[in-house]
PDB file of all heavy atoms in Angstrom:
ATOM      1  N   CYS A  14     -11.480  27.654   6.810  1.00 98.00           N
ATOM      2  CA  CYS A  14     -10.186  27.356   6.208  1.00 98.00           C
ATOM      3  C   CYS A  14      -9.076  27.629   7.212  1.00 98.00           C
ATOM      4  O   CYS A  14      -9.284  28.331   8.223  1.00 98.00           O
ATOM      5  CB  CYS A  14      -9.960  28.156   4.919  1.00 98.00           C
ATOM      6  SG  CYS A  14      -9.897  29.949   5.137  1.00 98.00           S
ATOM      7  N   TRP A  15      -7.937  27.090   6.927  1.00 97.00           N
ATOM      8  CA  TRP A  15      -6.755  27.281   7.772  1.00 97.00           C
ATOM      9  C   TRP A  15      -6.080  28.609   7.439  1.00 97.00           C
ATOM     10  O   TRP A  15      -5.818  29.439   8.299  1.00 97.00           O
ATOM     11  CB  TRP A  15      -5.798  26.099   7.563  1.00 97.00           C
ATOM     12  CG  TRP A  15      -4.454  26.233   8.214  1.00 97.00           C
ATOM     13  CD1 TRP A  15      -4.190  26.698   9.468  1.00 97.00           C
ATOM     14  CD2 TRP A  15      -3.190  25.878   7.638  1.00 97.00           C
ATOM     15  NE1 TRP A  15      -2.837  26.658   9.715  1.00 97.00           N
ATOM     16  CE2 TRP A  15      -2.207  26.157   8.610  1.00 97.00           C
ATOM     17  CE3 TRP A  15      -2.800  25.343   6.414  1.00 97.00           C
ATOM     18  CZ2 TRP A  15      -0.848  25.921   8.376  1.00 97.00           C
ATOM     19  CZ3 TRP A  15      -1.462  25.093   6.191  1.00 97.00           C
ATOM     20  CH2 TRP A  15      -0.492  25.385   7.170  1.00 97.00           C
ATOM     21  N   VAL A  16      -5.806  28.796   6.139  1.00 97.00           N
ATOM     22  CA  VAL A  16      -5.193  30.032   5.668  1.00 97.00           C
ATOM     23  C   VAL A  16      -5.842  30.441   4.351  1.00 97.00           C
ATOM     24  O   VAL A  16      -6.338  29.603   3.587  1.00 97.00           O
ATOM     25  CB  VAL A  16      -3.671  29.878   5.452  1.00 97.00           C
ATOM     26  CG1 VAL A  16      -2.947  29.704   6.774  1.00 97.00           C
ATOM     27  CG2 VAL A  16      -3.357  28.729   4.496  1.00 97.00           C
ATOM     28  N   VAL A 193       1.211  29.952  -1.746  1.00 95.00           N
ATOM     29  CA  VAL A 193       0.534  28.794  -1.158  1.00 95.00           C
ATOM     30  C   VAL A 193       1.517  27.676  -0.836  1.00 95.00           C
ATOM     31  O   VAL A 193       1.283  26.862   0.072  1.00 95.00           O
ATOM     32  CB  VAL A 193      -0.584  28.288  -2.093  1.00 95.00           C
ATOM     33  CG1 VAL A 193       0.000  27.638  -3.346  1.00 95.00           C
ATOM     34  CG2 VAL A 193      -1.513  27.324  -1.369  1.00 95.00           C
ATOM     35  N   ASP A 196       2.670  27.707   2.730  1.00 95.00           N
ATOM     36  CA  ASP A 196       1.701  27.141   3.677  1.00 95.00           C
ATOM     37  C   ASP A 196       1.793  25.620   3.711  1.00 95.00           C
ATOM     38  O   ASP A 196       1.782  25.010   4.785  1.00 95.00           O
ATOM     39  CB  ASP A 196       0.283  27.586   3.286  1.00 95.00           C
ATOM     40  CG  ASP A 196       0.129  29.095   3.296  1.00 95.00           C
ATOM     41  OD1 ASP A 196       0.570  29.726   4.271  1.00 95.00           O
ATOM     42  OD2 ASP A 196      -0.418  29.638   2.315  1.00 95.00           O
ATOM     43  N   PHE A 197       1.893  25.005   2.552  1.00 97.00           N
ATOM     44  CA  PHE A 197       2.069  23.554   2.501  1.00 97.00           C
ATOM     45  C   PHE A 197       3.401  23.138   3.127  1.00 97.00           C
ATOM     46  O   PHE A 197       3.481  22.110   3.814  1.00 97.00           O
ATOM     47  CB  PHE A 197       1.988  23.053   1.059  1.00 97.00           C
ATOM     48  CG  PHE A 197       0.603  22.798   0.568  1.00 97.00           C
ATOM     49  CD1 PHE A 197      -0.018  23.697  -0.295  1.00 97.00           C
ATOM     50  CD2 PHE A 197      -0.096  21.675   0.951  1.00 97.00           C
ATOM     51  CE1 PHE A 197      -1.303  23.467  -0.759  1.00 97.00           C
ATOM     52  CE2 PHE A 197      -1.385  21.427   0.501  1.00 97.00           C
ATOM     53  CZ  PHE A 197      -1.990  22.335  -0.369  1.00 97.00           C
ATOM     54  N   CYS A 245      -6.752  31.530  -3.309  1.00 97.00           N
ATOM     55  CA  CYS A 245      -7.095  30.181  -2.861  1.00 97.00           C
ATOM     56  C   CYS A 245      -7.078  30.114  -1.340  1.00 97.00           C
ATOM     57  O   CYS A 245      -6.629  31.052  -0.667  1.00 97.00           O
ATOM     58  CB  CYS A 245      -6.136  29.144  -3.445  1.00 97.00           C
ATOM     59  SG  CYS A 245      -4.412  29.378  -2.970  1.00 97.00           S
ATOM     60  N   ALA A 246      -7.589  29.020  -0.823  1.00 98.00           N
ATOM     61  CA  ALA A 246      -7.577  28.764   0.612  1.00 98.00           C
ATOM     62  C   ALA A 246      -7.293  27.289   0.834  1.00 98.00           C
ATOM     63  O   ALA A 246      -7.576  26.445  -0.029  1.00 98.00           O
ATOM     64  CB  ALA A 246      -8.913  29.154   1.243  1.00 98.00           C
ATOM     65  N   LEU A 247      -6.738  26.978   2.002  1.00 98.00           N
ATOM     66  CA  LEU A 247      -6.472  25.600   2.394  1.00 98.00           C
ATOM     67  C   LEU A 247      -7.384  25.241   3.558  1.00 98.00           C
ATOM     68  O   LEU A 247      -7.375  25.920   4.591  1.00 98.00           O
ATOM     69  CB  LEU A 247      -5.010  25.418   2.796  1.00 98.00           C
ATOM     70  CG  LEU A 247      -3.964  25.778   1.747  1.00 98.00           C
ATOM     71  CD1 LEU A 247      -2.565  25.471   2.278  1.00 98.00           C
ATOM     72  CD2 LEU A 247      -4.215  25.044   0.443  1.00 98.00           C
ATOM     73  N   ALA A 248      -8.168  24.192   3.369  1.00 98.00           N
ATOM     74  CA  ALA A 248      -9.074  23.723   4.417  1.00 98.00           C
ATOM     75  C   ALA A 248      -8.617  22.343   4.869  1.00 98.00           C
ATOM     76  O   ALA A 248      -8.330  21.473   4.037  1.00 98.00           O
ATOM     77  CB  ALA A 248     -10.508  23.667   3.896  1.00 98.00           C
ATOM     78  N   ARG A 249      -8.544  22.139   6.184  1.00 98.00           N
ATOM     79  CA  ARG A 249      -8.035  20.888   6.744  1.00 98.00           C
ATOM     80  C   ARG A 249      -9.115  20.173   7.548  1.00 98.00           C
ATOM     81  O   ARG A 249     -10.060  20.789   8.048  1.00 98.00           O
ATOM     82  CB  ARG A 249      -6.858  21.153   7.686  1.00 98.00           C
ATOM     83  CG  ARG A 249      -5.714  21.967   7.143  1.00 98.00           C
ATOM     84  CD  ARG A 249      -4.814  22.444   8.271  1.00 98.00           C
ATOM     85  NE  ARG A 249      -5.581  23.221   9.244  1.00 98.00           N
ATOM     86  CZ  ARG A 249      -5.132  23.599  10.435  1.00 98.00           C
ATOM     87  NH1 ARG A 249      -3.921  23.265  10.827  1.00 98.00           N
ATOM     88  NH2 ARG A 249      -5.910  24.309  11.250  1.00 98.00           N
ATOM     89  N   GLU A 262     -12.354  22.255   9.184  1.00 98.00           N
ATOM     90  CA  GLU A 262     -12.457  23.322   8.188  1.00 98.00           C
ATOM     91  C   GLU A 262     -13.039  22.814   6.876  1.00 98.00           C
ATOM     92  O   GLU A 262     -13.802  23.531   6.209  1.00 98.00           O
ATOM     93  CB  GLU A 262     -11.065  23.921   7.947  1.00 98.00           C
ATOM     94  CG  GLU A 262     -10.474  24.583   9.183  1.00 98.00           C
ATOM     95  CD  GLU A 262      -8.951  24.561   9.213  1.00 98.00           C
ATOM     96  OE1 GLU A 262      -8.343  24.061   8.246  1.00 98.00           O
ATOM     97  OE2 GLU A 262      -8.385  25.047  10.212  1.00 98.00           O
ATOM     98  N   ILE A 392      -6.606  17.600   3.551  1.00 98.00           N
ATOM     99  CA  ILE A 392      -6.249  18.940   3.088  1.00 98.00           C
ATOM    100  C   ILE A 392      -6.874  19.161   1.713  1.00 98.00           C
ATOM    101  O   ILE A 392      -6.624  18.381   0.784  1.00 98.00           O
ATOM    102  CB  ILE A 392      -4.717  19.157   3.050  1.00 98.00           C
ATOM    103  CG1 ILE A 392      -4.369  20.585   2.669  1.00 98.00           C
ATOM    104  CG2 ILE A 392      -4.034  18.163   2.152  1.00 98.00           C
ATOM    105  CD1 ILE A 392      -4.633  21.594   3.742  1.00 98.00           C
ATOM    106  N   ASP A 393      -7.710  20.198   1.600  1.00 98.00           N
ATOM    107  CA  ASP A 393      -8.330  20.570   0.329  1.00 98.00           C
ATOM    108  C   ASP A 393      -7.841  21.955  -0.072  1.00 98.00           C
ATOM    109  O   ASP A 393      -7.745  22.862   0.770  1.00 98.00           O
ATOM    110  CB  ASP A 393      -9.858  20.609   0.449  1.00 98.00           C
ATOM    111  CG  ASP A 393     -10.473  19.229   0.582  1.00 98.00           C
ATOM    112  OD1 ASP A 393      -9.724  18.231   0.528  1.00 98.00           O
ATOM    113  OD2 ASP A 393     -11.709  19.152   0.742  1.00 98.00           O
ATOM    114  N   THR A 394      -7.554  22.120  -1.346  1.00 98.00           N
ATOM    115  CA  THR A 394      -7.241  23.435  -1.897  1.00 98.00           C
ATOM    116  C   THR A 394      -8.487  23.958  -2.604  1.00 98.00           C
ATOM    117  O   THR A 394      -9.061  23.264  -3.452  1.00 98.00           O
ATOM    118  CB  THR A 394      -6.075  23.368  -2.894  1.00 98.00           C
ATOM    119  OG1 THR A 394      -4.938  22.797  -2.246  1.00 98.00           O
ATOM    120  CG2 THR A 394      -5.715  24.755  -3.394  1.00 98.00           C
ATOM    121  N   VAL A 395      -8.910  25.170  -2.241  1.00 98.00           N
ATOM    122  CA  VAL A 395     -10.109  25.790  -2.808  1.00 98.00           C
ATOM    123  C   VAL A 395      -9.674  27.009  -3.607  1.00 98.00           C
ATOM    124  O   VAL A 395      -9.112  27.956  -3.038  1.00 98.00           O
ATOM    125  CB  VAL A 395     -11.107  26.194  -1.717  1.00 98.00           C
ATOM    126  CG1 VAL A 395     -12.414  26.674  -2.350  1.00 98.00           C
ATOM    127  CG2 VAL A 395     -11.368  25.039  -0.758  1.00 98.00           C
TER     128      VAL A 395
END
Side-chain angles (χ1 to χ4, degrees):
C14 63
W15 172 43
V16 291
V193 70
D196 300 313
F197 275 104
C245 61
L247 302 183
R249 307 165 303 169
E262 297 152 2
I392 184 73
D393 289 357
T394 303
V395 187

